[in-house]
Amino acid sequence: MRTRTRPSRMAVLATVAALAAGVLAGCAQDSEGPSGSATGGGGDGGKGKTTLTVGVFGAFGLKEAGLYDQYMKLHPDIAIKQTSIERNENYYPQLLTHLGSGSGLADIQAVEVNNIAEVASTQADKLVDLGRTEGVRQDSFLPWKWSQATNKDGRTIGLGTDIGPQGICYRKDLFAAAGLPTDRASVGALWAGDWRKYLDAGKKFKAKAPKGTAFVDSASGVMAAITGSEANRFYDKDGKVVYKTNPAVRNAWDIAAEFAGAGLTAKLQQFTPAWDQGYANAGFATISCPAWMLGYIQDKSGAAGKGKWDVAAAPKPSNWGGSFLVVPEAGKNKKEAAELVAWLTAPEQQATLFAKRGSFPSSQAAYALPAVSGAKHEYFDNAPIGEIFSAAAQGVPVQIVGPKDLIIAQNLADVGMLQVDQKGTSSKDGWDAAVKAIDNALDQ
């Protein structure tokens, strides 16, 4: 089962990190850490050193960006060793098992955003309250990011590494052929403030669209972007599952179904070979895209797409993706581990991670740093991506996240909306099928 949440954002970054590193312009040269070994620390760390272990999934980026080496240079008494499991689907169940037993844990563990609510609500007593760590300032993080890892008791069990604020990536050549504006300001104005205006723009595009092209890649992608812009989604503030009766979710469903019914989609499923081919063939004109996806689009569109793609603001600020670092209480080096997490998630290091790996900072204090504020993307006609995604990030609402958000989102997309989009299933029948699948999954 695939949806916008899979493969993980880290898996995508592993594919396109080299591209991202080469296209971010206007970045501060002094943001780069010193080069070092591939392991980020060797052997037992040396006599008298404290070895801190870090467990992550995929190519998480911290080691690849040289941050571990930089920290060890600043702290000669610390050695850092990282282990990685390729996919979060395999990593996360093991993490829960180890938290339950209190053994087999690294000093620092990564947690994907789709899992943070479950960890914060069921495992908080097994994790250090990082909000109390010296040097950590809540106001340096985006409020909605901080809240995602803070439970009802006020314990902040994780510090955010990155986020996925979204814009709308669009093909200027296809817009021009359809008689639509092409400069990013005018394009953003087409749908500013209202996702239904995005639908209206799609209808205008279709009227004069080049043969064989669609306005968007998929109805499921539209639905997920809309729900990602809502404060209330699948759960209410008391932890009750409310997606069935939440008007915001049903509105997202209805608009996405209208995209499908109006023939505005390419009927593709994201992160499949056919979707990748859609980029190569210029098969669709727009897609909701977080900062980390730019390298993916470049990779799949190839040299022929350079300068034809651009980025405009989304109708409403929305987020897709992000991760956290946590420190298990069972660790032997909790103080040192918490200090390392605080340093890795500080504004300067988050700016470095963005400059080198394309991971957009969850620290709002990083947005004024040159590596972020001055960032442009050459492939996307030198779009000022630092400015665009910073504005989006700061507009995302504080969103209620629940422990089974991923299950609900996947079934709405893959069981329900995919049928509406690809098979012509009625909106009602698609919704009913998704609800049935979700109910069965939540009852297990």
Side-chain angles (χ1 to χ4, degrees):
M1 185 181 296
R2 286 179 180 269
T3 184
R4 285 168 62 87
T5 51
R6 297 172 66 183
S8 73
R9 181 248 331 122
M10 288 300 178
V12 175
L13 283 179
T15 305
V16 300
L19 290 169
V23 296
L24 290 172
C27 299
Q29 295 300 312
D30 61 359
S31 66
E32 300 185 3
S35 61
S37 67
T39 60
D44 59 5
K47 184 177 180 181
K49 289 190 175 184
T50 298
T51 298
L52 297 177
T53 55
V54 184
V56 303
F57 51 89
F60 205 78
L62 301 173
K63 179 180 73 175
E64 294 83 351
L67 293 178
Y68 296 156
D69 293 313
Q70 186 177 349
Y71 191 81
M72 288 187 289
K73 183 177 181 180
L74 295 171
H75 302 82
D77 57 330
I78 297 292
I80 302 171
K81 297 177 66 176
Q82 176 181 287
T83 60
S84 178
I85 294 176
E86 183 177 357
R87 296 182 65 84
N88 186 51
E89 289 89 335
N90 299 323
Y91 168 88
Y92 182 61
Q94 292 186 32
L95 174 61
L96 290 181
T97 298
H98 292 318
L99 285 171
S101 66
S103 62
L105 291 158
D107 293 302
I108 297 168
Q109 298 276 175
V111 178
E112 213 267 344
V113 64
N114 288 304
N115 306 124
I116 195 63
E118 183 174 26
V119 171
S121 61
T122 66
Q123 307 293 328
D125 61 329
K126 298 168 184 174
L127 298 167
V128 172
D129 184 353
L130 294 174
R132 300 178 180 274
T133 299
E134 184 178 355
V136 173
R137 292 184 54 184
Q138 179 178 344
D139 61 3
S140 74
F141 290 87
L142 290 159
W144 58 268
K145 183 69 172 183
W146 183 271
S147 72
Q148 287 178 334
T150 302
N151 68 3
K152 293 182 178 179
D153 298 327
R155 290 174 56 83
T156 301
I157 53 86
L159 296 182
T161 54
D162 65 302
I163 54 175
Q166 298 194 78
I168 300 293
C169 292
Y170 66 99
R171 294 269 315 206
K172 294 191 300 180
D173 56 334
L174 299 184
F175 267 49
L180 295 178
T182 59
D183 68 281
R184 61 185 70 98
S186 297
V187 169
L190 288 174
W191 48 65
D194 190 341
W195 287 101
R196 284 200 168 275
K197 291 182 180 179
Y198 187 41
L199 175 66
D200 292 339
K203 293 176 180 178
K204 292 178 182 177
F205 175 85
K206 183 182 178 183
K208 297 182 179 180
K211 185 178 179 179
T213 63
F215 185 63
V216 297
D217 63 320
S218 68
S220 294
V222 172
M223 178 176 63
I226 298 173
T227 56
S229 68
E230 298 289 348
N232 300 315
R233 200 170 48 156
F234 306 140
Y235 287 77
D236 66 13
K237 60 182 178 61
D238 297 319
K240 180 182 177 181
V241 176
V242 296
Y243 78 94
K244 294 180 193 178
T245 57
N246 183 359
V249 174
R250 197 52 192 258
N251 179 62
W253 175 276
D254 290 343
I255 293 175
E258 287 188 53
F259 267 86
L264 303 181
T265 82
K267 304 182 186 300
L268 299 171
Q269 189 174 19
Q270 294 184 332
F271 297 107
T272 63
W275 188 63
D276 291 348
Q277 195 62 37
Y279 286 114
N281 295 337
F284 50 88
T286 73
I287 183 171
S288 302
C289 57
W292 53 261
M293 189 186 279
L294 301 186
Y296 190 93
I297 293 173
Q298 177 182 351
D299 182 47
K300 301 306 177 184
S301 297
K306 184 177 181 180
K308 296 178 181 177
W309 280 101
D310 208 328
V311 189
K316 291 184 178 180
S318 180
N319 185 72
W320 172 13
S323 295
F324 299 81
L325 296 176
V326 303
V327 175
E329 286 281 4
K332 297 180 179 179
N333 306 298
K334 292 186 292 185
K335 180 178 181 297
E336 293 87 351
E339 290 173 350
L340 175 56
V341 170
W343 186 86
L344 289 171
T345 58
E348 294 78 10
Q349 281 64 256
Q350 290 204 27
T352 295
L353 192 62
F354 173 59
K356 292 192 172 185
R357 303 290 297 177
S359 299
F360 203 80
S362 64
S363 169
Q364 59 187 351
Y367 299 162
L369 300 177
V372 181
S373 64
K376 295 182 179 181
H377 204 301
E378 182 184 3
Y379 187 86
F380 289 78
D381 198 23
N382 288 316
I385 60 173
E387 296 177 9
I388 292 170
F389 291 114
S390 292
Q394 293 176 88
V396 173
V398 176
Q399 192 171 69
I400 298 171
V401 292
K404 304 301 179 183
D405 272 6
L406 180 57
I407 290 175
I408 297 171
Q410 284 182 331
N411 282 285
L412 284 173
D414 292 345
V415 175
M417 190 54 68
L418 190 63
Q419 292 184 22
V420 175
D421 199 13
Q422 293 188 347
K423 298 181 180 180
T425 302
S426 71
S427 176
K428 180 183 183 302
D429 288 347
W431 175 266
D432 290 344
V435 168
K436 182 178 180 180
I438 293 168
D439 286 347
N440 289 338
L442 296 183
D443 287 342
Q444 293 178 1

